[in-house]
Amino acid sequence: MEKQMWCNPLRVSGTGGQTALARNRIASWNTTAQTLRLPNGAALALLLGFLLLIGSQMARAEDRAALRDAALQHVNQSRTDEGLPPLEPGASLDEAAQKHAEDMLKRGYYSHTTPQGDGPRDRFLDAGGGEWERVAENIARCRNCGALDRERVATFHEGWMDSPGHRANILSEGLARFGFGAVALDGRIYAVQTFAGPGNSRGRDGTEIEAGGASDIAQEVLNAERTRAGVAPVNRSPALTEAAMEALPADLGGMRIESLDPFGTFPQELREFGRLQALVSECGGCGTVATAGDVRAFLGDWLEAHGRRVSLLDGETTHLGMALRSDWEGRKVALLLLGTR
């Protein structure tokens, strides 16, 4: 029996879906105990200076938290006005946004991409964000525009809402959390909004399906294309559908499609096929539940890829089975089995 497997990792999360591990930056100091003797007046001045520094740092932290609260209030008010659910604050998003604002100010650039090529997703992952979530970002800057305060945050928000692309991020249905960062120096202010969430299902048909329900839709889509190509239609195989469902774990956590073995168990029911092929793909930031639109989107992707299209339109293929699973956090994996009998 001939067996073939095409592994096609699709990433449709918009800003890229490369895998990255969260990197923790840990600083350490070797401390040597030494005694520094100062005159009483100098010691008092040093202590007061230290207390003032601590107070200043605490004030900045409190001010930053207040600005973040204001930014989130503006975003959620805009979403409420459109009948959308509010976003929750996200610590990793705050970190990513703040670091990007500070980096743009420090290095004098204004872009979603750093001079080294890192984008919103890279910053999100570095801050400990989820690999399969959708990430979006809005940035703004101004010169000689006054203080960085709540009024400035409101002005930035109004500007973003007046811009179609930025407004779309604020009002996206596929986002769940929000972060904000801002920095000011010498009359320059940089501000960053960062969003993350599971994203939206692909395609227009949002009908929710069970894992094995993908086979019927796949048969419909594929046979329509095979008919146009003058190729005989394929039949839905319960055995191939069951094999696809067993090959895809219900819990996708930690599963890599590169290591997936769809023919590992090789049940007796599959021995009736003289040839078997497998196509597997995944997407990130593509919603929480498996839908009919997802199935059509995966089939569309495969049909647009020459090597996969050849397999799908092979006149000797007689049966198919498909499974589609979601991790409910933005990742979906599709497995299609093709058999010749």
Side-chain angles (χ1 to χ4, degrees), residues 11-332:
R11 312 284 183 144
V12 296
S13 47
T15 55
Q18 66 274 21
T19 300
L21 295 176
R23 294 187 286 275
N24 295 318
R25 296 174 176 82
I26 303 175
S28 60
W29 291 265
N30 292 320
T31 303
T32 302
Q34 296 181 338
T35 301
L36 178 62
R37 297 187 182 279
L38 296 172
N40 290 339
L44 179 59
L46 180 62
L47 176 60
L48 288 174
F50 179 72
L51 292 175
L52 287 172
L53 174 61
I54 294 296
S56 175
Q57 290 175 340
M58 291 177 63
R60 285 199 297 270
E62 291 173 357
D63 290 345
R64 186 176 296 170
L67 294 179
R68 286 173 175 165
D69 289 342
L72 181 57
Q73 288 173 12
H74 288 302
V75 165
N76 282 340
Q77 184 59 59
S78 294
R79 292 177 63 87
T80 299
D81 292 344
E82 299 296 327
L84 297 170
L87 303 182
E88 296 293 330
S92 60
L93 294 169
D94 285 335
E95 178 182 339
Q98 186 64 36
K99 287 186 175 180
H100 189 46
E102 293 174 356
D103 189 53
M104 288 191 292
L105 175 65
K106 179 180 179 180
R107 296 202 280 171
Y109 70 94
Y110 180 63
S111 173
H112 294 288
T113 305
T114 69
Q116 287 71 37
D118 290 338
R121 174 166 294 278
D122 300 297
R123 292 186 285 275
F124 176 61
L125 294 175
D126 284 347
E131 176 186 355
W132 295 100
E133 291 188 279
R134 176 188 167 195
V135 180
E137 179 181 83
N138 290 336
I139 61 176
R141 68 175 176 178
C142 66
R143 293 178 182 272
N144 301 318
C145 50
L148 175 52
D149 53 19
R150 287 175 174 268
E151 183 178 348
R152 174 52 48 193
V153 171
T155 301
F156 278 139
H157 182 75
E158 291 172 5
W160 282 319
M161 287 298 291
D162 287 338
S163 168
H166 299 92
R167 178 187 177 91
N169 284 340
I170 293 171
L171 301 180
S172 174
E173 295 184 4
L175 301 174
R177 300 187 314 286
F178 172 81
F180 180 80
V183 62
L185 182 67
D186 297 333
R188 295 172 296 160
I189 299 178
Y190 286 79
V192 179
Q193 290 181 326
T194 307
F195 310 81
N200 299 312
S201 295
R202 305 171 69 196
R204 297 181 178 180
D205 189 347
T207 304
E208 186 175 348
I209 61 171
E210 299 294 334
S215 290
D216 292 332
I217 302 170
Q219 179 187 25
E220 174 192 338
V221 174
L222 184 53
N223 280 343
E225 192 66 22
R226 288 171 69 93
T227 298
R228 283 190 287 269
V231 182
V234 295
N235 299 306
R236 179 187 181 281
S237 166
L240 291 176
T241 299
E242 184 65 25
M245 291 179 62
E246 290 184 3
L248 278 184
D251 183 1
L252 298 178
M255 190 275 288
R256 296 298 177 191
I257 64 173
E258 295 82 1
S259 61
L260 184 67
D261 182 7
F263 308 118
T265 57
F266 201 68
Q268 181 67 34
E269 291 79 6
L270 297 187
R271 300 184 185 278
E272 61 185 276
F273 296 100
R275 183 181 65 174
L276 290 171
Q277 298 181 78
L279 285 76
V280 59
S281 294
E282 61 189 349
C283 64
C286 47
T288 56
V289 298
T291 68
D294 290 318
V295 178
R296 296 180 186 278
F298 278 116
L299 263 294
D301 293 333
W302 289 327
L303 286 167
E304 289 179 1
H306 176 71
R308 316 301 191 266
R309 182 179 180 84
V310 170
S311 296
L312 291 168
L313 300 184
D314 187 337
E316 295 184 359
T317 299
T318 58
H319 292 77
L320 66 75
M322 183 174 177
L324 174 64
R325 293 198 187 278
S326 168
D327 70 351
W328 294 88
E329 296 181 357
R331 182 190 187 192
K332 293 173 183 175

